[in-house]
Amino acid sequence: MREAVELVAAWAAQRDHAVPGLAARVGELVVEVIGDDSAVRQLLSEAAAGVVTERTLVRAALAVEDEIERNLVFARDLSTALGSADGVNTMLVSPVHPSYAAVKVVGAVKDAVISDDVDVVGRLFFGRDDAEHDMADGLLRNGFVPTAVYAEVTAGRKNLIIGRKGTGKSAICMRLAMSNGEPNGTYLITPDDAAGEAFRRFALEGLTGPAAKALLWRYVVAVHAARFLVRHASSAATRRRRPSSVGVLERFLRDNNELADQSFYHRVTSAGRGLVSSFSLEAFGVRVAVDAKNAPAGAHASRQLEVVESGVRQAFDDLEWTKKHGTLLVLVDQLEQVWSGEPESAALVVGLLLAGKHVALTYGKSLRCVSFVRSDIYDTLDFGDADKFHSDEIRISWTTHQLRELAIARAGAALGRKLAPDELWGEIFPEEVLGQPTADYLFERTLPRPRDAIQFLNQCRDMAFGNGHNRITEADVVDATLVFSRWKVLDLAKEYGIRFPFLSSLLSIFRDSGHELSRTDIARLFQPFLRDLKRRNGQYLQLLDSDVIIELLFSVGFLGVHRGSGFVYAGTTETSIQPHEYLFCIHPCFRPALNAVQPSVGPLTNVITGLTIGTAIQLGHIHGDITTDNVVAGGDINLQPRRGTSPHAKPAGE
């Protein structure tokens, strides 16, 4: 809206001289509709004086944006006044009126203060839960924060990206797909159930499951590369002679019905049929790839595939692809959609990793296969060559500073301008929540990953919007905290549901406990439930030991361990729990939902019988003019009437 506001200022500066044209149309319309807005009044006043501050321009632009959101008639009229043929989304492309040169702008964006009467909450949005929808909304494009992981992938140093659910694997993948445009291009693979089942069923005599599935992945990549090179060379045929190796690839694709556009499932099934039987390799001058009668099926398929890959590599070389175009990327994401935890699922993923390694060796820098794998899947894989992938892999981790940058970038993208930190954490959000700086409060209560941060920020916004607030208040943030915490307890159990189906039951055991616990405390909490847990989860008996459970809950981020001067959580440290470590803490993200808001709670004991009758779980008012002023360790509760609140209370001195 900046251009429209500048036109209003130009009109206001020259209003006494009957300025004609665009500035007059826009200025008169804005004043007629929102002339009473304080930001617009200030703009008119400063423009008439010949000096407009940057702060005033920003405030007025926000006021115009707010009115467009609420008033479709105004949006249409403003679009018409500006003479746009494309509607509201493109209505601010007209040049600023020349008379605006008479108005001086002073100040900087960092000095801007958002007026209290401008509804920011209505337009505020931090993004979607998944990268695909984030892309559609434009926030992934405009609110993406490049990280070290992204830099390593784009530089070609890392090809195996590992991260927990919600850490931004798909965001990096989608961003690579966006930025790596023609002529080098990308090929994004996101297997669905049908393709996953085709992979799981595929087997070849003489090969292990992972080795057979690696051949399948290699063929899919080779065919994509061949199709891409044929199309690229065809588009450039009028400029130079196409290498004969590209013509060979085109004949191979035609002979094997691979030229037409097909779904990933059809590519996989076609590859499976060809590898089990035979491809037509006559385009490469090979009538019979191998003697299928005497060779095992695995050897037969492998030799056929080597012929195809050799032809693709030759075309890359003849086109001087790396020198002229860089690297063709094949991106594989969302493997969790086809993951079941069964051996064949593991073979599918291991096969992909083996294929990616082979692709790098076969095609050099011309073609790379970049795989995005969830850490809970990768950490369960057990294969002999795992040690050969360490130089290729990189794990995604986020710092609080990076999450703050993400929040500011996303808010700025939603509001249409760059925000200063003080604007987000002081004007849009309150400066403090419960005595803690707002950003510290928020990101201390999320797991260190973008999805959690985005969900928490959006929930704060939704609370404010539902309460009719123009700004997010401290009460909105506090209310959002409990809702978000409940989500995360459920989400954690679902995230690890395949590996640890009993996790939901484990988490519920911590309800109404203190959040600082020793090994003994945790063992005491679990003792009453262990028999039932073992009965219902017999295949996981080795995990249902209190010390093993501590390690498990640390690995998923639920528990932190006391080290040095504080507690550390998985994601900020890779060191596992040590036998001598004794003190643990529930992550702040989960405490509100479990009502584990106090460091420790004491038992309530009947002072006559000496028996424990419950646990003190909350301090606060009890309706009926009674408050709990303190809880005494050992059990006694001191209950006192509140003075002056009961209609039957006697005045002091009676």
Side-chain angles (χ1 to χ4, degrees), residues 187 189 199 213-227 258 263-272 275 279 305 309 330 332 367:
Y187 178 42
I189 298 175
F199 264 105
K213 291 166 178 56
L215 291 184
L216 201 54
W217 281 111
R218 283 167 52 189
Y219 180 78
V220 169
V221 171
V223 166
H224 165 70
R227 284 163 44 84
E258 294 283 10
S263 67
F264 180 63
Y265 166 74
H266 286 97
R267 294 257 176 254
V268 173
T269 55
S270 174
L275 289 170
F279 299 114
L305 186 52
E309 290 175 330
V330 174
V332 185
L367 175 63

Side-chain angles (χ1 to χ4, degrees), residues 100-265:
Y100 185 61
V103 182
K104 180 180 180 182
V105 180
V106 298
V109 174
K110 64 183 179 63
D111 298 322
V113 176
I114 303 173
S115 175
D116 290 337
D117 56 2
V118 175
D119 181 13
V120 175
V121 167
R123 299 192 309 280
L124 190 63
F125 186 56
F126 291 93
R128 300 289 181 186
D129 294 337
D130 59 278
E132 292 75 19
H133 286 90
D134 236 7
M135 172 78 75
D137 287 340
L139 287 181
L140 184 58
R141 184 184 302 274
N142 301 319
F144 180 78
V145 176
T147 61
V149 174
Y150 179 74
E152 289 287 87
V153 177
T154 54
R157 288 186 288 268
K158 302 297 181 181
N159 297 314
L160 175 55
I161 318 306
I162 304 166
R164 285 189 63 176
K165 181 179 180 181
T167 51
K169 298 183 303 300
S170 293
I172 294 174
C173 181
M174 297 297 291
R175 185 71 179 189
L176 287 169
M178 286 166 46
S179 60
N180 202 58
E182 298 288 353
N184 36 334
T186 57
Y187 178 42
L188 176 60
I189 298 175
T190 53
D192 57 12
D193 289 339
E197 184 59 27
F199 264 105
R200 284 189 288 267
R201 289 197 310 265
F202 183 72
L204 286 170
E205 180 188 356
L207 295 180
T208 63
K213 291 166 178 56
L215 291 184
L216 201 54
W217 281 111
R218 283 167 52 189
Y219 180 78
V220 169
V221 171
V223 166
H224 165 70
R227 284 163 44 84
F228 184 86
L229 292 176
V230 167
R231 291 184 176 182
H232 170 77
S234 297
S235 65
T238 57
R239 298 193 298 272
R240 58 186 173 83
R241 182 175 175 274
R242 187 172 73 167
S244 60
S245 56
V246 175
V248 169
L249 290 184
E250 184 173 16
R251 289 195 297 275
F252 164 76
L253 294 172
R254 184 182 299 109
D255 292 345
N256 292 279
N257 299 315
E258 294 283 10
L259 270 177
D261 290 328
Q262 293 179 327
S263 67
F264 180 63
Y265 166 74

Side-chain angles (χ1 to χ4, degrees), residues 322-334:
T322 304
K323 178 181 178 181
K324 295 181 177 180
H325 306 297
T327 302
L328 174 62
L329 289 181
V330 174
L331 310 172
V332 185
D333 190 24
Q334 297 186 19

Side-chain angles (χ1 to χ4, degrees), residues 1-13 19 21-28 30 43 57 78 81-82 91-100:
M1 302 303 137
R2 173 71 176 235
E3 293 88 344
V5 171
E6 289 176 343
L7 288 168
V8 175
W11 169 74
V19 177
L22 180 62
R25 292 197 303 272
V26 174
E28 290 170 357
V30 170
L43 176 69
L57 284 173
L78 184 56
L82 289 165
M91 65 179 155
L92 297 177
V93 297
S94 301
V96 176
H97 194 278
S99 63
Y100 185 61

Side-chain angles (χ1 to χ4, degrees), residues 350-494:
V350 173
L352 170 63
L353 302 183
L354 296 174
K357 179 73 76 173
H358 180 87
V359 164
L361 294 173
T362 300
Y363 304 109
K365 295 182 179 180
S366 296
L367 175 63
R368 289 170 53 209
C369 183
V370 182
S371 302
F372 299 82
V373 186
R374 256 177 40 182
S375 56
D376 58 312
I377 293 176
Y378 186 78
D379 292 340
T380 64
L381 302 178
D382 184 13
F383 59 108
D385 291 330
D387 61 325
K388 297 180 181 179
F389 288 86
H390 293 321
S391 60
D392 278 340
E393 70 182 44
I394 186 170
R395 291 183 180 257
I396 300 176
S397 62
W398 286 79
T399 65
T400 299
H401 176 71
Q402 289 173 323
L403 292 176
R404 290 181 187 225
E405 286 186 338
L406 177 70
I408 294 171
R410 291 300 183 96
L415 296 178
R417 70 176 180 87
K418 186 176 182 179
L419 290 177
D422 290 346
E423 289 183 280
L424 184 61
W425 314 120
E427 297 181 29
I428 297 174
F429 280 85
E431 290 187 18
E432 293 186 346
V433 176
L434 301 182
Q436 193 175 6
T438 299
D440 292 346
Y441 176 94
L442 290 169
F443 299 124
E444 184 180 285
R445 287 162 175 78
T446 67
L447 296 181
R449 50 190 182 183
R451 183 175 298 168
D452 284 26
I454 288 170
Q455 289 175 342
F456 198 2
L457 292 165
N458 277 336
Q459 185 58 29
C460 293
R461 177 267 172 201
D462 292 348
M463 282 290 182
F465 185 79
N467 292 330
H469 298 156
N470 288 343
R471 297 291 183 279
I472 298 170
T473 68
E474 182 178 16
D476 295 327
V477 177
V478 172
D479 289 344
T481 301
L482 180 58
V483 175
F484 174 74
S485 181
R486 288 170 176 167
W487 288 349
K488 293 299 104 180
V489 170
L490 295 174
D491 290 348
L492 188 69
K494 293 175 182 177

